[in-house]
Every structure is written in structure tokens, then in C-alpha cells.
Amino acid sequence: MSNYSQSFRTLFLFIFFIISPKLFASSETITFKLPDDAIIKFQPVFLGLDGNKIFASKRVKLGSREGDDSNYKERLSTTNLGGSFIGKNHNGENDWLYYLGQTEVSQQQWNVVMRWWQRENGLTVEPENNSQLPQTGKTPAEILTFIQALNLWVLKNDRDALPKNGNAFAYVRLPTEVEWAYAARGGNNVSHDVFDRPYPYVDENGTETLDGYEWDRDSSGNRVKEVGSQYIKPNPLGLYDMLGNVEELTYGIFGQDFLFARFGGLVIRGGNYSTDPENLKVSMRTEYDGFTQDGNILRLNKVGFRLALGSLVSEAGYTPTELDEGYNEYLSSDSGVTQSAAAGKTSLSQQAITDQLNHSNIERERLIEENHDLREKLTNVESKLVVLKGNLEKKNNELIFTSKELKDEKAKNSDLSELADTSSLENKFNIIINSKDLEIARLESELNNLKQKVNHQDVALVNAQASEQKLLSLQQKVNDAERRDNTANFEIEKNKKRIVVAEQRLLESLTRVADYNLFSAWRNLKIIEKKRKVSSNPQIWQVNEIEAKNMLREYRRYVIQIVDDTDYTLFPEVKDKLTRWLKDNNVSNQQIKGLDLLERHINEVRNGQYIQVDSLYNNLLDEPEMRN
């Protein structure tokens, strides 16, 4: 962007900020008034992106990080995510964000908006419904009608509450699948480890937990609950029921990965009130099937939806030049490059990728070693805990036995005392009673000693419980390390595939050029052969001779480059591909034959037999592969 454009843009933003406080979106919860005094709330989701750039996005990994998860719907995948508005984050910096509904749309919210819409359009008005249960069983067409009605209501009745991106007002829509998944993981409000977990909920010790956060089969009693219930807590972004209560329809097209390599139905995310808690996780995704095979509408009573706020890109107030320059700046950034491009000697700069792979392997080895250390610590703590529990159980048994023995002795003493009062053998019984009193005193002393030991064991039990909590914390670290290991493996495998593709592209390019140079040299030699039959004057074919030798020098250089800079094991596949392409495009059969000679020369160079240009010039027409 030129200095002039940058200065103009800065001045424009400053003036606009003074005139319109809505230039920057709210960093707090946004509340819209609905008909009949109802409301709907939206939470900001910050992305940690420079709000001073017109276009910015962050690369996020979605799907399951669990190594044993083989479900094709939840495989790890990488995609990009951008915001719709600019706001001040908690550091006071301009940051891109989007808004997501605080709760799933309730039956009351649906009812008040649709009743207004029906009155406005002279339609039959449905009965009043003030239920706070989520609105389910609606088709995408009905949901889009509701969204259209809600947009019109807000623009007509609560326009000042709408955030803006420059000149562009917010509008209500379904969230994209990526927006939903990023927010369900906790976004920028959680650490990388927590973001990678099946769900972003932790207890006071930082251990994974679902207790008090979601309505699943165990916590709901297998019944749907009101949206935003006071009996559960929101996720780290202040969003309720992201994973439970009812599943949620998103504005994403279902595919085998997040890049939509194959298009299907809309995407449903999350679980519902009847999902088993062990199956409840952020990566859950289902394909929407809205019709039965006999042509009836299928209404899904466990599927609802929540809303998002978006804005128009082209209406923000930037000039076309600023948009173009901003987009070019975005393309040159890391997040803007979505496909590999040629660079350097290989299409992905082989050395850079090798360094990246080495780094990934080192990180993976570190994680494996860390995992091993944590497991050893875990085993030691478990062993100590078992010993402590065993000792405690033994002392408790001793205490119970001694207490019973003391009780029996006291009962005997009571009987003897009673007998002494009624018998003439008073002295004899007094001696027996005194003896028993001494025994009782001894037992009481032993009981007190045992109680002290039990108190010590209570302290040991508290320590054991602390050790058990430490054990859970260590197990959490082990799980997080395993997820990081799985993510590192994912990056390594992805880069390996990219390298293979890059090698194939480079090898194909070099092979095409080498084969064409060889064919051009052969063609000039054929022309020379014909001209010699007409005249013996060398000047007649001098130009063809020069061109043929130049082509052969280039051919030799490319053969050596293929041997030095590419993976030769890929050559047969590349050769077959080029052969098919040449045949399909009716290219000279002599050029197709040249691939066989090229393959032989590559093998010779690999064995140290380098091509001599003069020799090849003199013998090319007689080479077995090039004969007619």
C-alpha cells in the first residue's frame, strides 16, 4: 500500500471514528430487543488478528486430536478463519472478531419474531409461546425465513444496537462450521492444550470435566432443558449449551474434511441431551438429512440452531484500490497462502521443508520422552497410593478389633460388679474386679494409641488424596502430550505428502523441458540430413547445427539436474503421465520416444557415465530409441 493511500486510510478511519462510534464493534455482550419485550444476546469471539489490516485470517486445526479416532467425519483438518468486525480486545488492541449467539434460539424468541412477521405480511398468526426450551424441528428454509424476519425487525426497530465494520451494518445469519467449532473449543480464551482437548471445560485443578457445563444423558435425565439454564455454566467464551442439550445446524457444507473436497448436506454440530457423556466432544459432526426417501419432510426434534452476526466485505467503506492492496498483502502472509507454490530449486524449497520436518521430529521425540517421564511419575504415585490405602485399611481393622475387645471387657466388668454387690465372697470378687480394671485401663491406653495412629493415617490419607489429585493432573498432562504428539504427526504426514507432490511437479517440469530439447535437437539433425542431400555447403545447415548443439547442451544440463535435485523413484510415474498427455494431444511420436532415451541417460548419469554433447550430436539419429 502506498504512503499516500495509507495516510488517507488512517485519516478516513480517524474521522469516521469521531463521527460514528460504531466504527469499532463492542467488546461486550450485544443485546437486541425483540417483539413483546423479548431479547436475544450475542457474545464476541476475538481471533487475535491485527485489526489494522483489511484482510486477516488465522489458520486453525479442527477435528479430533485423539490418535485412536478413525471416524472420517472427525479427522484432523486445517482451514482458515477470519472475523467480520474490529473491536478492542482485553489488551486494548484492535482485533478482528465475530459474534455468536449466547444461547440456542428459544421457542419464545422464534415465536415473537414469527408472530410479528406474520402480522406484517397478513399471514395466519401462530399461538403465543413463551417457552425457553430450544426451538427444534425446523427445516433450513424455515430457519432462513426466521433469520430474514429477524434482520428486518432489528433494522426497523433496534438499528442502533447493530455493530458495524466501517459502513457495513451487521446482519444475522447461521454460523459457519469453522466459526462454531472455534468458539466451541474456547477460542483465544483458553491455552493451546485446552483448545486441543475434546472439550474446553476444566475443574479447579485444571483437569478435564463436563460436570456442570453441558446437558448430556447423565446430567439431563434424558430430557431437553431450557436454553442458558442457571443450573449449568457457560464455556470460556460465555456461550451456553455448545455441546449438549440440542445439536445445532450450521451454515457449512458437509464433506469428508473441512476443506469440502466433496459437497453434501448442511452440517450439524455438537451433541444433545441424550448423548452419552463419553461421546460428547467438540469434533462431533453430522450431515443434515431433511427428507425421507418417499418425499416427506424430516423434522429433527433434537436439532436446533444458534445465530451469528456477519457483515458485508465490500460495503465497509474502503476504496477498490485499498481492497486490492489489502488482499495482496493478505496473500503474501502465512495465513493467506493456502496452496504450495514453486520456490527455489524445488517447488517447496526442499531445504526449508527438511528443516521443518526435522523440527517436527525433534518435537515429537521430546513429547514421547516427556510422555514416558510422566507415565513413570504416574506409576510411582499410584504405587505409593496403594501402599497408603493398604496401611490405612489395616489400622482401621485393628482399631475395630480393639474397640470390640474393650466393649466385651467392660461388659464382663459390669457383670462382675453386680455379682460382687450380692455375694458374700466380696474380697474375692474385688480382686477379680481390680484385675479387670487394670485390663480395661490397658485396653483404653492401647485404644488411645491406635486413635493416634489413625489420626496419623488420616494425615496420610489427606496426603494420599493430594497424591491422587496430582495423579489426575499428571494424567491430564499425559493426555495433552499425546494430543500434541498426534498433531505433530499430522503436520509431518501432511508435509511428507506436500514434498512428494512438490517433487513430482519439479520432476515433471524438468522432464518436459529435457524431452522437448532432445526432440528439437533431433528435428534439426533431420533437417541437416535432408539439406546435405541437396548441397555439400556447410553454411546451408549452419543455423540448424548451432541450434541442435545448444538444445543438446540444455538437455544435458536438465538430465544432470533431474539426477541431482529430484527423487528418481518418481520418474516412472511421471514418465507414464507425460506419455499419456503427449498421446492425448497428438504430439510427434518422436518426442514420445525421446522419453525412453531420457530415461536411459538418467540411469547412465546416476552410474557416473555423463553425456558428451558432441558424441550425442553425432549419434542421436542412430540411437535405438530415436530410430523411425
Side-chain angles (χ1 to χ4, degrees):
M1 184 180 294
S2 67
N3 293 335
Y4 176 78
S5 298
Q6 181 66 43
S7 300
F8 177 78
R9 178 185 167 215
T10 303
L11 179 61
F12 167 78
L13 293 177
F14 175 76
I15 295 173
F16 201 88
F17 177 73
I18 298 299
I19 296 174
S20 173
K22 287 294 181 181
L23 176 62
F24 289 94
S26 172
S27 302
E28 307 296 332
T29 302
I30 292 179
T31 302
F32 293 151
K33 299 175 183 177
L34 301 181
D36 300 337
D37 297 324
I39 60 172
I40 188 169
K41 296 182 178 181
F42 292 85
Q43 292 293 116
V45 181
F46 284 96
L47 297 175
L49 296 171
D50 188 351
N52 298 311
K53 294 183 178 180
I54 298 177
F55 296 104
S57 71
K58 72 185 309 176
R59 193 158 298 175
V60 293
K61 289 185 176 65
L62 303 180
S64 174
R65 276 76 162 158
E66 308 305 310
D68 57 351
D69 195 339
S70 58
N71 188 330
Y72 80 93
K73 299 178 183 179
E74 302 176 27
R75 287 291 179 88
L76 195 61
S77 183
T78 303
T79 187
N80 282 13
L81 174 62
S84 297
F85 307 95
I86 302 170
K88 297 288 185 182
N89 59 24
H90 66 278
N91 293 324
E93 301 166 340
N94 293 343
D95 193 351
W96 280 101
L97 71 142
Y98 61 95
Y99 292 94
L100 203 60
Q102 189 181 84
T103 67
E104 297 153 341
V105 172
S106 70
Q107 293 180 20
Q108 183 206 31
Q109 291 167 338
W110 177 282
N111 182 257
V112 297
V113 172
M114 293 310 295
R115 282 165 57 84
W116 172 80
W117 172 260
Q118 290 154 1
R119 287 193 296 268
E120 287 286 303
N121 292 275
L123 305 173
T124 301
V125 179
E126 60 189 64
E128 186 175 345
N129 181 356
N130 291 317
S131 171
Q132 294 303 310
L133 295 177
Q135 180 63 65
T136 61
K138 298 298 182 182
T139 68
E142 291 168 336
I143 292 173
L144 290 178
T145 300
F146 167 79
I147 290 174
Q148 176 177 298
L150 178 56
N151 274 310
L152 293 178
W153 162 266
V154 175
L155 285 169
K156 291 176 182 290
N157 298 279
D158 203 8
R159 183 186 182 95
D160 291 340
L162 286 170
K164 293 172 65 177
N165 177 25
N167 294 335
F169 278 96
Y171 70 94
V172 181
R173 57 170 170 78
L174 285 173
T176 67
E177 182 181 9
V178 183
E179 288 173 338
W180 186 97
Y182 182 78
R185 290 189 177 277
N188 268 4
N189 285 21
V190 298
S191 66
H192 291 300
D193 281 341
V194 174
F195 186 89
D196 284 344
R197 293 176 186 173
Y199 39 80
Y201 308 126
V202 296
D203 59 20
E204 62 276 7
N205 299 303
T207 306
E208 287 181 3
T209 183
L210 276 174
D211 294 342
Y213 286 97
E214 294 290 353
W215 294 121
D216 51 44
R217 179 182 290 275
D218 289 353
S219 61
S220 72
N222 205 25
R223 298 185 62 181
V224 67
K225 301 294 183 178
E226 293 184 348
V227 301
S229 169
Q230 61 178 323
Y231 301 109
I232 63 170
K233 293 173 282 190
N235 85 346
L237 291 170
L239 304 169
Y240 290 84
D241 301 320
M242 284 298 289
L243 305 184
N245 208 18
V246 294
E247 300 167 45
E248 299 180 13
L249 189 70
T250 66
Y251 203 51
I253 303 299
F254 185 90
Q256 64 268 32
D257 57 37
F258 293 92
L259 302 180
F260 310 144
R262 176 179 176 183
F263 296 95
L266 294 179
V267 181
I268 298 171
R269 295 304 304 253
N272 59 62
Y273 59 86
S274 63
T275 302
D276 289 330
E278 57 267 23
N279 295 328
L280 206 64
K281 50 189 176 180
V282 176
S283 57
M284 288 184 68
R285 58 197 299 261
T286 309
E287 188 171 12
Y288 175 79
D289 183 5
F291 308 97
T292 63
Q293 292 186 353
D294 55 359
N296 293 317
I297 292 177
L298 185 63
R299 296 190 178 276
L300 305 176
N301 292 324
K302 293 183 181 180
V303 177
F305 66 100
R306 76 177 64 229
L307 299 173
L309 297 181
S311 68
L312 298 178
V313 176
S314 56
E315 296 297 322
Y318 298 107
T319 66
T321 300
E322 288 175 319
L323 290 172
D324 288 340
E325 291 177 346
Y327 188 65
N328 288 333
E329 180 184 6
Y330 163 71
L331 287 178
S332 64
S333 67
D334 289 339
S335 60
V337 179
T338 58
Q339 298 293 336
S340 302
K345 292 176 68 177
T346 65
S347 59
L348 277 180
S349 183
Q350 181 66 48
Q351 185 59 50
I353 291 181
T354 300
D355 292 343
Q356 184 179 0
L357 276 176
N358 290 338
H359 173 75
S360 298
N361 286 326
I362 292 171
E363 177 66 11
R364 183 173 182 272
E365 291 175 1
R366 185 188 67 77
L367 290 173
I368 291 173
E369 183 177 352
E370 180 181 341
N371 192 2
H372 177 71
D373 293 340
L374 288 173
R375 288 191 181 279
E376 285 187 351
K377 292 179 182 178
L378 182 62
T379 302
N380 292 335
V381 173
E382 286 177 339
S383 300
K384 292 179 182 178
L385 183 60
V386 169
V387 173
L388 287 172
K389 287 184 176 179
N391 291 337
L392 180 60
E393 184 176 359
K394 180 180 177 182
K395 294 300 181 182
N396 281 334
N397 290 335
E398 291 179 1
L399 179 60
I400 292 171
F401 177 78
T402 304
S403 297
K404 183 177 182 300
E405 188 178 10
L406 178 60
K407 183 178 179 181
D408 292 341
E409 291 296 333
K410 285 185 175 180
K412 291 178 182 179
N413 185 56
S414 177
D415 292 341
L416 290 172
S417 297
E418 186 177 347
L419 181 61
D421 291 339
T422 58
S423 172
S424 60
L425 301 174
E426 181 176 358
N427 292 333
K428 181 178 180 180
F429 284 111
N430 282 338
I431 293 173
I432 296 174
I433 290 171
N434 290 335
S435 176
K436 293 299 181 183
D437 285 342
L438 291 174
E439 180 66 16
I440 289 171
R442 184 188 69 77
L443 291 173
E444 286 181 338
S445 175
E446 185 174 346
L447 179 63
N448 288 332
N449 290 334
L450 285 173
K451 285 183 177 179
Q452 290 179 359
K453 290 182 179 179
V454 169
N455 289 336
H456 290 309
Q457 293 300 322
D458 286 340
V459 173
L461 179 60
V462 171
N463 292 335
Q465 290 173 340
S467 297
E468 189 171 11
Q469 184 58 56
K470 185 178 180 181
L471 177 68
L472 292 174
S473 178
L474 287 172
Q475 184 61 54
Q476 185 70 70
K477 291 181 179 179
V478 169
N479 294 339
D480 291 340
E482 287 177 346
R483 290 191 191 95
R484 291 196 298 270
D485 187 32
N486 290 333
T487 303
N489 284 335
F490 167 76
E491 289 294 341
I492 290 170
E493 290 302 319
K494 183 176 67 175
N495 285 328
K496 284 181 179 178
K497 293 176 182 177
R498 285 180 174 173
I499 290 172
V500 171
V501 172
E503 286 282 359
Q504 287 177 330
R505 289 176 179 171
L506 175 63
L507 182 55
E508 182 179 342
S509 298
L510 294 174
T511 302
R512 283 179 181 272
V513 177
D515 184 51
Y516 181 77
N517 285 338
L518 184 65
F519 172 69
S520 296
W522 177 88
R523 185 172 54 190
N524 277 283
L525 288 173
K526 293 297 288 186
I527 293 173
I528 292 172
E529 188 178 56
K530 291 179 180 179
K531 288 183 177 180
R532 278 178 171 169
K533 293 178 180 180
V534 176
S535 172
S536 59
N537 185 3
Q539 292 183 346
I540 296 177
W541 59 77
Q542 185 178 17
V543 174
N544 299 104
E545 180 181 3
I546 294 172
E547 184 174 353
K549 288 184 177 181
N550 287 337
M551 290 296 101
L552 290 175
R553 288 190 188 94
E554 287 297 301
Y555 170 75
R556 180 181 186 275
R557 183 170 66 85
Y558 283 119
V559 170
I560 294 172
Q561 188 173 357
I562 289 173
V563 172
D564 291 344
D565 296 344
T566 68
D567 181 0
Y568 175 71
T569 61
L570 300 174
F571 184 81
E573 181 181 349
V574 171
K575 178 186 173 185
D576 290 343
K577 179 181 177 182
L578 286 179
T579 300
R580 290 193 301 271
W581 185 86
L582 293 171
K583 288 180 178 179
D584 291 342
N585 288 273
N586 297 321
V587 177
S588 169
N589 190 53
Q590 208 64 37
Q591 189 171 348
I592 298 174
K593 289 182 177 182
L595 291 173
D596 295 329
L597 180 58
L598 171 60
E599 185 173 17
R600 173 158 66 86
H601 284 157
I602 290 174
N603 287 321
E604 289 175 355
V605 172
R606 290 178 68 236
N607 293 323
Q609 301 174 17
Y610 282 81
I611 306 168
Q612 300 301 318
V613 174
D614 291 340
S615 175
L616 186 58
Y617 176 84
N618 294 326
N619 299 300
L620 181 59
L621 297 180
D622 296 324
E623 295 286 358
E625 294 88 350
M626 302 301 289
R627 293 173 187 166
N628 292 329

